[in-house]
Amino acid sequence: MKRDYYEILGVARTATKDEIKKAYRKLALQYHPDKNPDNKDAEEHFKEVNEAYEVLSNDDKRRRYDQFGHAGVGSSAASGAGGGGFQGGGAADFNDIFSAFNDMFGGGRGRSGGSPFGFEEVFGGGGQRRGRASAGIPGTDLKIRLKLTLEEIAKGVEKTIKIKKQIACKECNGTGSKSGATETCQTCHGSGEVRQASKTMFGQFVNIAACPTCGGEGRVIKDRCTACYGEGIKQGEVTVKVTVPAGVQDGNYLTLRGQGNAGPRGGAPGDLIVVIEEKPHELFIREGDDVIYNLAVSFPDLVLGTKIDVPTLDGPIKLTIPPSTQPETRLRIAGHGIGHLRGSSRGDQYVRVNVFVPRELSHQDKEMLRELKKSQTIAPSGHHDQNSKSFFEKARDIFS
Ligand SMILES: [Zn+2]
Ligand SMILES: [Zn+2]
């Protein structure tokens, strides 16, 4: 059913660790999803390559694979070496959200199996799930975008979204057959496998693949369901609940195991991949887990100090502007930033204070300002700076 790991990497059975690593790097780069956007074929290859490397780069797993084939490593790979396996190869550096999740949920992969929410690498483990599928052809993964506001990201959010996807046909219970009767597959004569020999520079390999006609079952349905034309699936719409933890970033993704397209004729469903999109905020600028807010303050308030209501992600807060606050000062409002992906605390909000310069003034205002100008301390005393020459002296030096 599965391809030979050595064949996938294109290396000999006697290959050294270095050779395996080199071959892996080359292929991983070639099929990397970033280089092949929306290319299902490349994605499949990439999964295969990673799976092969996970096994062949590990002495123990490689020995078991050499001895017992896929059966020797299947179970151990599926139970997961606590996130170490897939990522340990230094391969899957897509998005650090996953390592963070693994920490957050205490070891990640092993535990996520039972939860509806698999915080796993999108490209990890797919092969194992498919390999274990008991019937039908596995459903495909589904990718959707989820737009979130900064407020939602700050505290985490639960979203209920409608998605269009392939669901099991109700008429035939997803079997594709009216009566449920089956007959032996003519393509593979019931074995569920098709074999192809191929010659490569490393010798001849026999490629064993799941039979495309019966999807590896060895049997095909007899009387087709008319509602789904024997596919066992139909286009439908479902609502999905997505729990987004605080602190996610644009481009992060969450994998909901088994919530993708239903597989034809009872095949295991694919995954739903939710890609996070962050809506730009009209008031705040995000800097990591902190947010920046620009605040213009009048000159008298900067000098005398005041209290001003400023917006935060949690609603307005009174901020104290201390006397003699200089322009460009960053005042911190602790704990009102974005929630950290790791841990329960939050980042901070910084208020960048600037001076407000009015464009229109009344006659009276102008009079007051002219009065103010007469003050001895209202203008900078830079002309008499003891450490350096004044601006005017410097300018004179340069241009003379
Ligand atoms: Zn049907
Ligand atoms: Zn077949």
Side-chain angles (χ1 to χ4, degrees), residues 6 32 71 86 170 172 217 228 236 243-244 260 263 297 302 361 394:
Y6 291 97
H32 196 284
F86 187 76
K170 285 186 183 74
C172 61
E217 282 177 275
C228 63
T243 308
V244 184
V297 179
L302 282 182
L361 282 172
K394 274 184 201 160

Side-chain angles (χ1 to χ4, degrees), residues 121-139:
E121 312 83 7
V122 172
F123 298 99
Q128 288 136 20
R129 173 168 52 78
R130 289 201 173 146
R132 271 185 274 138
S134 54
I137 300 160

Side-chain angles (χ1 to χ4, degrees), residues 151 283-284 291 310-317 333 336 346 349:
E151 281 87 353
L283 297 178
F284 303 114
V291 290
V310 292
T312 73
L313 291 168
D314 311 280
I317 270 187
I333 306 176
H336 284 278
R346 286 171 66 180
Q349 174 171 330

Side-chain angles (χ1 to χ4, degrees), residues 21 79 108:
K21 199 173 191 174
S79 69

